[in-house]
Coordinates of all heavy atoms in Angstrom, one line a residue:
P1 N 18.6 8.8 -11.7 CA 17.4 7.9 -11.4 C 16.8 8.3 -10.0 O 15.6 8.1 -9.9 CB 18.0 6.5 -11.3 CG 19.4 6.6 -11.3 CD 19.8 8.0 -11.8
G2 N 17.5 8.9 -9.1 CA 16.9 9.3 -7.8 C 16.2 10.6 -7.8 O 15.5 10.9 -6.9
Y3 N 16.4 11.4 -8.9 CA 15.7 12.7 -8.9 C 14.2 12.6 -9.1 O 13.4 13.3 -8.5 CB 16.3 13.6 -10.0 CG 17.6 14.1 -9.6 CD1 18.8 13.8 -10.4 CD2 17.8 14.9 -8.5 CE1 20.0 14.3 -10.0 CE2 19.1 15.3 -8.1 CZ 20.2 15.0 -8.9 OH 21.4 15.5 -8.6
F4 N 13.8 11.6 -9.9 CA 12.3 11.5 -10.2 C 11.5 11.2 -9.0 O 10.5 11.9 -8.7 CB 12.1 10.5 -11.3 CG 10.6 10.4 -11.6 CD1 9.9 11.4 -12.3 CD2 9.9 9.2 -11.2 CE1 8.6 11.2 -12.6 CE2 8.6 9.1 -11.5 CZ 7.9 10.1 -12.2
P5 N 11.9 10.2 -8.2 CA 11.1 9.9 -6.9 C 11.2 11.1 -6.0 O 10.2 11.4 -5.3 CB 11.8 8.7 -6.3 CG 12.5 8.1 -7.4 CD 12.9 9.2 -8.4
M6 N 12.3 11.8 -5.9 CA 12.4 13.0 -5.0 C 11.5 14.1 -5.5 O 10.8 14.7 -4.7 CB 13.9 13.4 -4.9 CG 14.1 14.6 -3.9 SD 15.8 15.1 -3.8 CE 16.0 15.9 -5.4
I7 N 11.5 14.4 -6.7 CA 10.6 15.4 -7.3 C 9.2 15.1 -7.1 O 8.3 15.9 -6.7 CB 11.0 15.8 -8.7 CG1 12.4 16.4 -8.8 CG2 10.0 16.7 -9.4 CD1 12.9 16.6 -10.2
L8 N 8.8 13.8 -7.4 CA 7.5 13.3 -7.3 C 7.0 13.4 -5.8 O 5.9 13.9 -5.5 CB 7.3 11.9 -7.8 CG 6.0 11.3 -7.9 CD1 5.1 12.2 -8.8 CD2 6.0 9.9 -8.3
G9 N 7.9 13.0 -4.9 CA 7.5 13.1 -3.5 C 7.3 14.5 -3.0 O 6.4 14.9 -2.3
G10 N 8.2 15.4 -3.6 CA 8.0 16.9 -3.2 C 6.7 17.4 -3.8 O 6.0 18.2 -3.1
L11 N 6.3 17.0 -5.0 CA 5.1 17.5 -5.6 C 3.9 17.0 -4.8 O 2.9 17.7 -4.6 CB 5.0 17.1 -7.0 CG 5.9 17.9 -8.0 CD1 5.9 17.3 -9.4 CD2 5.6 19.4 -8.0
I12 N 3.9 15.7 -4.4 CA 2.8 15.2 -3.6 C 2.7 15.8 -2.3 O 1.6 16.1 -1.8 CB 3.0 13.6 -3.5 CG1 2.8 13.0 -4.8 CG2 2.1 13.1 -2.4 CD1 3.1 11.5 -4.9
T13 N 3.9 16.1 -1.6 CA 3.9 16.9 -0.4 C 3.3 18.3 -0.5 O 2.5 18.7 0.3 CB 5.3 16.9 0.2 OG1 5.8 15.6 0.4 CG2 5.3 17.6 1.5
L14 N 3.7 18.9 -1.6 CA 3.1 20.3 -1.8 C 1.6 20.2 -2.1 O 0.9 21.0 -1.5 CB 3.8 20.9 -3.1 CG 3.4 22.3 -3.5 CD1 3.7 23.3 -2.4 CD2 4.0 22.6 -4.8
L15 N 1.2 19.3 -2.9 CA -0.3 19.1 -3.1 C -1.0 18.8 -1.8 O -2.1 19.4 -1.5 CB -0.5 18.0 -4.1 CG -2.0 17.8 -4.5 CD1 -2.6 19.0 -5.1 CD2 -2.1 16.6 -5.4
G16 N -0.5 17.9 -1.0 CA -1.1 17.6 0.3 C -1.1 18.8 1.2 O -2.1 19.0 1.9
S17 N -0.1 19.6 1.2 CA 0.0 20.8 2.1 C -1.1 21.8 1.6 O -1.8 22.5 2.4 CB 1.3 21.4 2.0 OG 2.3 20.5 2.5
L18 N -1.2 22.0 0.3 CA -2.2 22.9 -0.2 C -3.6 22.5 0.1 O -4.5 23.3 0.5 CB -2.1 23.1 -1.7 CG -0.8 23.8 -2.2 CD1 -0.7 23.7 -3.7 CD2 -0.8 25.2 -1.7
L19 N -3.9 21.2 0.0 CA -5.2 20.6 0.4 C -5.5 20.8 1.8 O -6.6 21.1 2.2 CB -5.3 19.2 -0.1 CG -5.4 18.9 -1.6 CD1 -5.3 17.4 -1.9 CD2 -6.7 19.5 -2.1
L20 N -4.5 20.6 2.7 CA -4.6 20.7 4.1 C -5.0 22.2 4.4 O -5.9 22.5 5.2 CB -3.4 20.3 4.9 CG -3.4 20.5 6.4 CD1 -4.4 19.7 7.1 CD2 -2.0 20.3 6.9
L21 N -4.2 23.1 3.8 CA -4.5 24.5 4.1 C -5.9 24.9 3.6 O -6.6 25.7 4.3 CB -3.4 25.4 3.3 CG -3.4 26.9 3.5 CD1 -3.1 27.2 5.0 CD2 -2.4 27.5 2.6
R22 N -6.3 24.5 2.5 CA -7.6 24.8 2.0 C -8.7 24.2 2.9 O -9.7 24.9 3.2 CB -7.8 24.2 0.6 CG -9.2 24.5 0.0 CD -9.3 23.9 -1.4 NE -10.7 24.1 -1.8 CZ -11.4 23.2 -2.3 NH1 -11.0 22.0 -2.4 NH2 -12.7 23.4 -2.7
G23 N -8.5 23.0 3.4 CA -9.4 22.4 4.3 C -9.5 23.1 5.7 O -10.6 23.2 6.3
L24 N -8.4 23.7 6.1 CA -8.5 24.5 7.3 C -9.1 25.9 7.2 O -9.7 26.4 8.1 CB -7.0 24.6 7.9 CG -6.4 23.3 8.4 CD1 -4.9 23.6 8.8 CD2 -7.2 22.8 9.6
L25 N -9.0 26.5 6.0 CA -9.4 27.8 5.8 C -10.9 27.9 5.3 O -11.6 28.9 5.6 CB -8.5 28.5 4.8 CG -7.1 28.7 5.3 CD1 -6.3 29.4 4.2 CD2 -7.0 29.6 6.5
V26 N -11.3 26.9 4.5 CA -12.7 27.0 4.0 C -13.7 26.4 5.0 O -13.5 25.3 5.5 CB -12.7 26.2 2.6 CG1 -14.1 26.1 2.1 CG2 -11.8 26.9 1.6
H27 N -14.7 27.1 5.2 CA -15.7 26.6 6.2 C -16.8 25.9 5.4 O -17.2 26.3 4.3 CB -16.4 27.8 6.9 CG -15.4 28.5 7.8 ND1 -14.9 28.0 8.9 CD2 -14.8 29.7 7.7 CE1 -14.0 28.8 9.5 NE2 -13.9 29.9 8.7
G28 N -17.2 24.8 5.9 CA -18.2 24.0 5.3 C -18.8 23.0 6.2 O -18.6 23.0 7.4
E29 N -19.5 22.1 5.6 CA -20.2 21.0 6.4 C -19.2 20.1 7.0 O -18.3 19.7 6.4 CB -21.2 20.3 5.4 CG -22.0 19.3 6.1 CD -22.9 18.6 5.1 OE1 -23.5 19.4 4.2 OE2 -23.1 17.4 5.1
S30 N -19.4 19.7 8.2 CA -18.6 18.7 8.9 C -18.7 17.3 8.3 O -19.8 16.9 7.9 CB -18.9 18.7 10.4 OG -18.1 17.7 11.0
I31 N -17.6 16.6 8.2 CA -17.7 15.3 7.6 C -18.0 14.2 8.6 O -18.2 13.0 8.2 CB -16.3 14.9 6.9 CG1 -15.2 14.9 7.9 CG2 -16.1 15.9 5.8 CD1 -13.9 14.4 7.3
G32 N -18.1 14.5 9.9 CA -18.4 13.5 10.8 C -17.3 12.6 11.3 O -16.1 12.8 10.9
R33 N -17.6 11.6 12.1 CA -16.6 10.7 12.6 C -16.1 9.7 11.5 O -16.9 9.2 10.7 CB -17.1 9.8 13.7 CG -17.4 10.6 15.0 CD -17.8 9.8 16.1 NE -16.8 8.7 16.3 CZ -16.9 7.8 17.3 NH1 -17.9 7.8 18.1 NH2 -15.9 6.9 17.4
P34 N -14.8 9.4 11.5 CA -14.4 8.4 10.5 C -14.8 7.0 10.8 O -14.9 6.7 12.0 CB -12.8 8.6 10.5 CG -12.6 9.1 11.9 CD -13.7 9.9 12.3
A35 N -15.0 6.2 9.8 CA -15.4 4.8 10.0 C -14.1 4.0 10.3 O -13.2 3.9 9.5 CB -16.1 4.3 8.8
M36 N -14.1 3.5 11.5 CA -12.8 2.8 11.9 C -12.8 1.4 11.4 O -11.7 0.9 11.2 CB -12.7 2.8 13.5 CG -12.5 4.2 14.0 SD -11.1 5.1 13.4 CE -9.8 4.1 14.0
R37 N -13.9 0.7 11.3 CA -13.9 -0.7 10.8 C -13.2 -0.9 9.5 O -12.3 -1.7 9.4 CB -15.3 -1.2 10.8 CG -15.4 -2.6 10.3 CD -16.8 -3.1 10.2 NE -16.9 -4.4 9.6 CZ -17.0 -5.5 10.3 NH1 -17.1 -5.5 11.7 NH2 -17.1 -6.7 9.8
P38 N -13.5 -0.1 8.5 CA -12.8 -0.3 7.2 C -11.3 0.0 7.3 O -10.5 -0.7 6.8 CB -13.5 0.7 6.2 CG -14.8 0.9 6.8 CD -14.7 0.8 8.3
L39 N -11.0 1.0 8.0 CA -9.6 1.4 8.2 C -8.8 0.3 8.9 O -7.7 -0.1 8.4 CB -9.5 2.7 9.0 CG -8.1 3.1 9.4 CD1 -7.3 3.5 8.1 CD2 -8.1 4.2 10.4
L40 N -9.3 -0.3 9.9 CA -8.7 -1.3 10.7 C -8.5 -2.6 9.8 O -7.5 -3.3 9.8 CB -9.4 -1.6 12.0 CG -9.3 -0.5 13.0 CD1 -10.1 -0.8 14.2 CD2 -7.9 -0.2 13.4
F41 N -9.6 -3.0 9.1 CA -9.5 -4.2 8.3 C -8.5 -4.1 7.1 O -7.8 -5.0 6.8 CB -10.9 -4.6 7.8 CG -11.6 -5.5 8.8 CD1 -12.6 -4.9 9.6 CD2 -11.3 -6.8 8.9 CE1 -13.3 -5.7 10.5 CE2 -12.0 -7.6 9.8 CZ -13.0 -7.1 10.6
V42 N -8.5 -2.9 6.5 CA -7.6 -2.7 5.4 C -6.1 -2.7 5.9 O -5.3 -3.3 5.3 CB -7.9 -1.4 4.6 CG1 -6.8 -1.1 3.6 CG2 -9.3 -1.6 3.9
L43 N -5.9 -2.0 7.0 CA -4.5 -2.0 7.6 C -4.1 -3.4 8.0 O -3.0 -3.8 7.8 CB -4.5 -1.0 8.7 CG -4.5 0.4 8.4 CD1 -4.5 1.3 9.7 CD2 -3.3 0.8 7.5
A44 N -5.1 -4.2 8.6 CA -4.8 -5.5 9.0 C -4.5 -6.4 7.8 O -3.6 -7.3 7.8 CB -5.9 -6.1 9.8
S45 N -5.1 -6.2 6.7 CA -4.9 -7.0 5.5 C -3.5 -6.7 4.9 O -2.8 -7.6 4.5 CB -5.9 -6.8 4.4 OG -5.8 -5.5 3.8
V46 N -3.0 -5.4 5.0 CA -1.7 -5.1 4.5 C -0.6 -5.7 5.4 O 0.4 -6.2 5.0 CB -1.6 -3.6 4.4 CG1 -0.1 -3.2 4.1 CG2 -2.5 -3.0 3.3
A47 N -0.9 -5.6 6.7 CA 0.0 -6.2 7.7 C 0.1 -7.7 7.5 O 1.2 -8.3 7.6 CB -0.4 -5.9 9.1
L48 N -1.0 -8.4 7.2 CA -1.0 -9.8 7.0 C -0.2 -10.1 5.8 O 0.6 -11.1 5.8 CB -2.5 -10.3 6.8 CG -2.6 -11.7 6.3 CD1 -2.5 -12.7 7.5 CD2 -3.8 -12.0 5.5
F49 N -0.4 -9.4 4.7 CA 0.4 -9.6 3.5 C 1.9 -9.5 3.7 O 2.7 -10.4 3.4 CB 0.0 -8.6 2.4 CG 0.8 -8.8 1.1 CD1 0.3 -9.7 0.2 CD2 1.9 -8.2 0.8 CE1 1.0 -10.0 -1.0 CE2 2.6 -8.4 -0.3 CZ 2.1 -9.3 -1.3
A50 N 2.3 -8.5 4.4 CA 3.7 -8.3 4.7 C 4.3 -9.4 5.6 O 5.5 -9.8 5.4 CB 3.9 -6.9 5.4
S51 N 3.5 -9.9 6.5 CA 4.0 -10.9 7.4 C 4.0 -12.3 6.8 O 4.7 -13.2 7.3 CB 3.2 -10.9 8.7 OG 1.9 -11.2 8.5
V52 N 3.2 -12.6 5.8 CA 3.0 -14.0 5.3 C 3.5 -14.2 3.9 O 3.7 -15.4 3.5 CB 1.6 -14.6 5.4 CG1 1.1 -14.5 6.9 CG2 0.7 -13.9 4.5
V53 N 3.9 -13.2 3.2 CA 4.2 -13.4 1.7 C 5.5 -14.2 1.6 O 5.5 -15.1 0.6 CB 4.3 -12.0 1.0 CG1 5.5 -11.3 1.4 CG2 4.3 -12.3 -0.5
E54 N 6.4 -14.1 2.4 CA 7.7 -14.9 2.3 C 7.5 -16.4 2.7 O 8.1 -17.2 2.1 CB 8.8 -14.3 3.1 CG 9.3 -13.0 2.5 CD 10.5 -12.4 3.3 OE1 11.1 -13.1 4.0 OE2 10.7 -11.2 3.1
E55 N 6.7 -16.6 3.7 CA 6.4 -18.0 4.2 C 5.4 -18.7 3.4 O 5.6 -19.9 3.0 CB 6.0 -17.9 5.7 CG 7.1 -17.6 6.6 CD 8.2 -18.6 6.6 OE1 7.9 -19.8 6.6 OE2 9.4 -18.2 6.6
L56 N 4.3 -18.1 3.1 CA 3.2 -18.8 2.5 C 3.1 -18.6 0.9 O 2.4 -19.3 0.3 CB 1.8 -18.4 3.1 CG 1.7 -18.7 4.6 CD1 0.3 -18.2 5.0 CD2 1.8 -20.2 4.9
G57 N 3.8 -17.7 0.4 CA 3.8 -17.4 -1.0 C 2.9 -16.3 -1.4 O 2.0 -15.9 -0.6
I58 N 3.0 -15.9 -2.6 CA 2.2 -14.7 -3.1 C 0.7 -15.1 -3.3 O -0.2 -14.2 -3.0 CB 2.8 -14.1 -4.3 CG1 2.2 -12.7 -4.6 CG2 2.7 -15.0 -5.5 CD1 3.0 -11.9 -5.6
V59 N 0.4 -16.3 -3.6 CA -1.0 -16.7 -3.8 C -1.7 -16.6 -2.5 O -2.8 -16.0 -2.5 CB -1.0 -18.1 -4.5 CG1 -2.5 -18.6 -4.5 CG2 -0.4 -18.1 -5.8
A60 N -1.2 -17.2 -1.5 CA -2.0 -17.2 -0.2 C -2.0 -15.8 0.4 O -3.0 -15.4 1.0 CB -1.3 -18.2 0.8
A61 N -0.9 -15.0 0.2 CA -0.9 -13.7 0.7 C -1.9 -12.8 0.1 O -2.6 -12.0 0.7 CB 0.5 -13.1 0.6
V62 N -2.1 -12.9 -1.2 CA -3.0 -12.1 -2.0 C -4.5 -12.5 -1.6 O -5.3 -11.7 -1.4 CB -2.8 -12.2 -3.5 CG1 -4.0 -11.6 -4.3 CG2 -1.5 -11.5 -3.9
V63 N -4.7 -13.8 -1.5 CA -6.0 -14.3 -1.1 C -6.4 -13.8 0.3 O -7.5 -13.3 0.6 CB -6.1 -15.8 -1.2 CG1 -7.4 -16.3 -0.6 CG2 -6.1 -16.3 -2.6
G64 N -5.4 -13.8 1.2 CA -5.6 -13.3 2.5 C -5.9 -11.8 2.5 O -6.8 -11.3 3.3
V65 N -5.2 -11.0 1.7 CA -5.5 -9.6 1.6 C -7.0 -9.4 1.2 O -7.7 -8.5 1.7 CB -4.5 -8.9 0.7 CG1 -5.0 -7.5 0.3 CG2 -3.2 -8.8 1.3
V66 N -7.4 -10.1 0.1 CA -8.7 -9.9 -0.4 C -9.8 -10.3 0.6 O -10.8 -9.6 0.9 CB -8.9 -10.7 -1.7 CG1 -10.4 -10.7 -2.1 CG2 -8.0 -10.2 -2.8
V67 N -9.6 -11.4 1.3 CA -10.6 -11.9 2.3 C -10.7 -10.9 3.5 O -11.8 -10.5 3.9 CB -10.2 -13.3 2.8 CG1 -11.1 -13.7 4.0 CG2 -10.4 -14.3 1.7
I68 N -9.5 -10.5 4.1 CA -9.5 -9.7 5.2 C -10.1 -8.3 4.9 O -10.9 -7.7 5.6 CB -8.1 -9.5 5.8 CG1 -7.6 -10.9 6.3 CG2 -8.1 -8.5 7.0 CD1 -8.4 -11.5 7.4
S69 N -9.6 -7.7 3.7 CA -10.1 -6.4 3.4 C -11.6 -6.4 3.0 O -12.3 -5.4 3.2 CB -9.3 -5.8 2.3 OG -9.3 -6.6 1.1
S70 N -12.1 -7.5 2.5 CA -13.5 -7.5 2.1 C -14.4 -7.6 3.4 O -15.6 -7.2 3.3 CB -13.8 -8.8 1.3 OG -13.7 -9.9 2.0
L71 N -13.8 -8.0 4.5 CA -14.6 -7.9 5.8 C -14.8 -6.5 6.3 O -15.6 -6.3 7.2 CB -13.9 -8.8 6.8 CG -13.8 -10.3 6.5 CD1 -12.9 -11.0 7.6 CD2 -15.1 -10.9 6.4
A72 N -14.1 -5.6 5.7 CA -14.3 -4.2 6.1 C -15.7 -3.7 5.9 O -16.2 -2.8 6.5 CB -13.3 -3.3 5.4
R73 N -16.3 -4.2 4.9 CA -17.6 -3.8 4.4 C -18.7 -4.3 5.4 O -19.9 -3.9 5.3 CB -17.8 -4.3 3.0 CG -19.1 -4.1 2.4 CD -19.0 -4.2 0.9 NE -19.0 -5.6 0.5 CZ -19.2 -6.0 -0.7 NH1 -19.3 -5.1 -1.7 NH2 -19.3 -7.3 -1.0
G74 N -18.4 -5.3 6.2 CA -19.4 -5.9 7.0 C -19.7 -7.3 6.7 O -18.9 -8.2 6.9
R75 N -20.8 -7.5 6.1 CA -21.2 -8.9 5.7 C -20.5 -9.3 4.4 O -20.6 -8.6 3.4 CB -22.7 -8.9 5.5 CG -23.3 -10.2 5.5 CD -24.8 -10.1 5.7 NE -25.3 -11.5 5.5 CZ -26.5 -11.7 5.0 NH1 -27.3 -10.7 4.7 NH2 -26.9 -12.9 4.9
P76 N -19.7 -10.4 4.4 CA -18.9 -10.8 3.2 C -19.8 -11.4 2.1 O -20.8 -12.1 2.4 CB -17.9 -11.8 3.7 CG -18.5 -12.3 5.0 CD -19.4 -11.2 5.6
H77 N -19.5 -11.1 0.9 CA -20.2 -11.7 -0.3 C -19.1 -12.6 -0.9 O -18.2 -12.2 -1.6 CB -20.6 -10.6 -1.3 CG -21.5 -9.6 -0.7 ND1 -22.9 -9.8 -0.7 CD2 -21.3 -8.4 -0.1 CE1 -23.5 -8.8 -0.1 NE2 -22.6 -7.9 0.3
W78 N -19.3 -13.9 -0.6 CA -18.3 -14.9 -0.9 C -18.1 -15.1 -2.4 O -17.0 -15.4 -2.9 CB -18.6 -16.2 -0.2 CG -18.4 -16.0 1.3 CD1 -19.4 -16.0 2.2 CD2 -17.2 -15.8 2.0 NE1 -19.0 -15.7 3.5 CE2 -17.6 -15.6 3.4 CE3 -15.9 -15.7 1.7 CZ2 -16.7 -15.4 4.4 CZ3 -15.0 -15.5 2.7 CH2 -15.3 -15.4 4.0
G79 N -19.1 -14.9 -3.2 CA -19.0 -15.0 -4.6 C -18.0 -13.9 -5.2 O -17.1 -14.2 -6.0
E80 N -18.2 -12.7 -4.7 CA -17.3 -11.6 -5.1 C -15.9 -11.9 -4.6 O -14.9 -11.6 -5.3 CB -17.8 -10.3 -4.5 CG -19.1 -9.8 -5.1 CD -19.5 -8.5 -4.5 OE1 -18.8 -7.9 -3.7 OE2 -20.7 -8.1 -4.8
I81 N -15.8 -12.4 -3.4 CA -14.4 -12.6 -2.8 C -13.7 -13.6 -3.7 O -12.5 -13.4 -3.9 CB -14.6 -13.1 -1.4 CG1 -15.1 -11.9 -0.5 CG2 -13.2 -13.6 -0.8 CD1 -15.4 -12.3 0.9
V82 N -14.4 -14.7 -4.1 CA -13.7 -15.7 -4.9 C -13.3 -15.1 -6.3 O -12.1 -15.3 -6.7 CB -14.6 -16.9 -5.1 CG1 -14.1 -17.8 -6.2 CG2 -14.8 -17.6 -3.8
V83 N -14.2 -14.3 -6.9 CA -13.8 -13.7 -8.2 C -12.7 -12.7 -8.1 O -11.7 -12.8 -8.9 CB -15.1 -13.1 -8.8 CG1 -14.7 -12.2 -10.1 CG2 -16.1 -14.1 -9.2
V84 N -12.8 -11.9 -7.1 CA -11.7 -10.9 -6.9 C -10.4 -11.6 -6.5 O -9.3 -11.1 -7.0 CB -12.1 -9.8 -5.8 CG1 -11.0 -8.9 -5.5 CG2 -13.3 -9.0 -6.3
S85 N -10.4 -12.6 -5.7 CA -9.2 -13.3 -5.4 C -8.5 -13.9 -6.6 O -7.3 -13.8 -6.8 CB -9.5 -14.4 -4.4 OG -9.9 -13.9 -3.1
V86 N -9.3 -14.6 -7.5 CA -8.8 -15.2 -8.7 C -8.1 -14.1 -9.6 O -7.0 -14.3 -10.1 CB -9.9 -16.0 -9.4 CG1 -9.4 -16.4 -10.8 CG2 -10.3 -17.2 -8.6
V87 N -8.8 -13.0 -9.8 CA -8.3 -12.0 -10.6 C -7.1 -11.3 -10.0 O -6.1 -11.1 -10.7 CB -9.4 -10.9 -10.9 CG1 -8.8 -9.7 -11.6 CG2 -10.5 -11.5 -11.7
M88 N -7.1 -11.1 -8.7 CA -5.9 -10.4 -8.1 C -4.7 -11.4 -8.1 O -3.6 -10.9 -8.3 CB -6.3 -10.0 -6.7 CG -7.2 -8.8 -6.6 SD -6.7 -7.4 -7.5 CE -5.3 -6.9 -6.5
V89 N -4.9 -12.7 -7.8 CA -3.8 -13.6 -7.9 C -3.2 -13.7 -9.3 O -2.0 -13.7 -9.5 CB -4.3 -15.0 -7.4 CG1 -3.2 -16.1 -7.7 CG2 -4.5 -15.0 -5.9
A90 N -4.1 -13.7 -10.3 CA -3.6 -13.8 -11.7 C -2.8 -12.5 -12.0 O -1.7 -12.6 -12.6 CB -4.8 -13.9 -12.6
L91 N -3.3 -11.4 -11.6 CA -2.6 -10.1 -11.8 C -1.2 -10.1 -11.1 O -0.2 -9.7 -11.6 CB -3.4 -8.9 -11.5 CG -4.6 -8.6 -12.4 CD1 -5.5 -7.5 -11.8 CD2 -4.1 -8.2 -13.8
A92 N -1.2 -10.5 -9.8 CA 0.0 -10.4 -9.0 C 1.0 -11.4 -9.6 O 2.2 -11.0 -9.7 CB -0.3 -10.7 -7.6
V93 N 0.6 -12.6 -9.9 CA 1.6 -13.6 -10.4 C 2.1 -13.1 -11.8 O 3.3 -13.1 -12.1 CB 1.0 -15.0 -10.4 CG1 1.8 -15.9 -11.2 CG2 0.7 -15.5 -9.0
G94 N 1.1 -12.7 -12.6 CA 1.5 -12.3 -14.0 C 2.4 -11.1 -14.0 O 3.4 -11.0 -14.7
L95 N 2.1 -10.1 -13.1 CA 2.9 -8.9 -13.1 C 4.2 -9.0 -12.4 O 5.3 -8.7 -12.9 CB 2.1 -7.7 -12.5 CG 2.8 -6.4 -12.4 CD1 3.0 -5.8 -13.8 CD2 1.9 -5.4 -11.6
F96 N 4.2 -9.5 -11.2 CA 5.4 -9.5 -10.3 C 6.3 -10.6 -10.6 O 7.5 -10.4 -10.7 CB 5.0 -9.4 -8.8 CG 4.3 -8.2 -8.5 CD1 3.0 -8.2 -7.9 CD2 4.8 -7.0 -8.6 CE1 2.3 -7.1 -7.6 CE2 4.2 -5.8 -8.3 CZ 2.9 -5.8 -7.8
T97 N 5.8 -11.8 -10.7 CA 6.7 -13.0 -10.9 C 7.0 -13.2 -12.3 O 8.2 -13.4 -12.7 CB 6.1 -14.3 -10.2 OG1 4.9 -14.6 -10.8 CG2 6.0 -14.1 -8.7
T98 N 6.1 -13.2 -13.2 CA 6.3 -13.5 -14.6 C 6.8 -12.2 -15.3 O 7.9 -12.2 -16.0 CB 5.0 -14.0 -15.3 OG1 4.5 -15.1 -14.6 CG2 5.3 -14.4 -16.7
G99 N 6.1 -11.1 -15.2 CA 6.5 -9.9 -15.9 C 7.7 -9.2 -15.4 O 8.6 -8.9 -16.2
L100 N 7.9 -9.0 -14.1 CA 9.0 -8.3 -13.6 C 10.1 -9.3 -13.1 O 11.2 -8.8 -12.8 CB 8.6 -7.4 -12.4 CG 7.7 -6.3 -12.8 CD1 7.2 -5.5 -11.5 CD2 8.4 -5.3 -13.7
G101 N 9.8 -10.6 -13.0 CA 10.8 -11.5 -12.6 C 11.2 -11.4 -11.1 O 12.3 -11.8 -10.7
L102 N 10.3 -10.9 -10.3 CA 10.6 -10.8 -8.8 C 10.6 -12.2 -8.2 O 9.8 -13.1 -8.6 CB 9.6 -9.9 -8.1 CG 9.7 -8.4 -8.6 CD1 8.6 -7.6 -7.9 CD2 11.0 -7.8 -8.3
P103 N 11.5 -12.5 -7.2 CA 11.6 -13.8 -6.7 C 10.6 -14.2 -5.6 O 10.9 -14.5 -4.5 CB 13.0 -13.8 -6.1 CG 13.3 -12.4 -5.7 CD 12.5 -11.6 -6.8
F104 N 9.3 -14.1 -5.9 CA 8.3 -14.5 -5.0 C 8.0 -15.9 -5.1 O 7.9 -16.4 -6.2 CB 7.0 -13.7 -5.2 CG 7.0 -12.3 -4.7 CD1 6.8 -11.3 -5.6 CD2 7.1 -12.0 -3.4 CE1 6.8 -9.9 -5.2 CE2 7.1 -10.7 -3.0 CZ 6.9 -9.6 -3.9
K105 N 7.8 -16.6 -4.0 CA 7.4 -18.0 -4.0 C 5.9 -18.0 -4.4 O 5.2 -17.1 -3.9 CB 7.5 -18.7 -2.7 CG 8.9 -19.0 -2.3 CD 9.0 -19.8 -1.1 CE 8.2 -19.4 0.1 NZ 8.4 -20.1 1.3
L106 N 5.4 -18.9 -5.1 CA 4.0 -19.0 -5.4 C 3.2 -19.7 -4.3 O 2.1 -19.3 -3.9 CB 3.7 -19.7 -6.7 CG 4.2 -19.0 -8.0 CD1 3.8 -19.8 -9.2 CD2 3.6 -17.6 -8.1
W107 N 3.8 -20.7 -3.8 CA 3.2 -21.6 -2.8 C 4.1 -21.8 -1.6 O 5.3 -21.7 -1.8 CB 2.8 -22.9 -3.3 CG 2.0 -22.8 -4.6 CD1 2.4 -23.0 -5.9 CD2 0.6 -22.5 -4.7 NE1 1.4 -22.8 -6.7 CE2 0.3 -22.5 -6.0 CE3 -0.4 -22.3 -3.8 CZ2 -1.0 -22.3 -6.5 CZ3 -1.7 -22.0 -4.2 CH2 -2.0 -22.0 -5.6
P108 N 3.6 -22.2 -0.4 CA 4.5 -22.6 0.7 C 5.3 -23.8 0.3 O 4.8 -24.7 -0.4 CB 3.6 -22.8 1.9 CG 2.2 -22.9 1.3 CD 2.2 -22.3 0.0
E109 N 6.5 -23.9 0.8 CA 7.3 -25.1 0.5 C 7.4 -26.0 1.6 O 7.3 -25.7 2.8 CB 8.7 -24.7 0.0 CG 8.7 -23.9 -1.3 CD 10.1 -23.4 -1.7 OE1 11.0 -23.6 -1.0 OE2 10.1 -22.8 -2.7

């Protein structure tokens, strides 16, 4: 069972190395400065999930991820945030707690 992740990790490393080498050797148009706002908000949403999922439950953690990561775009669209939150909570609860039987709390106790 441990060989598949090891082989998959090796293939991904090889592919990444080939892409890096190609990027260094091929001359082309510069891509400019990276956008830091989306990167920081997405990383913050993942950190938030990891820090609150055990205390607040999977529902609040998933909603937090959706809200914080949606702020990466700038001006939030609250209608979209509500729809995406409902769909993501349903998928997370359905897949992880019901489907896989993982012991996530749904709500804070």
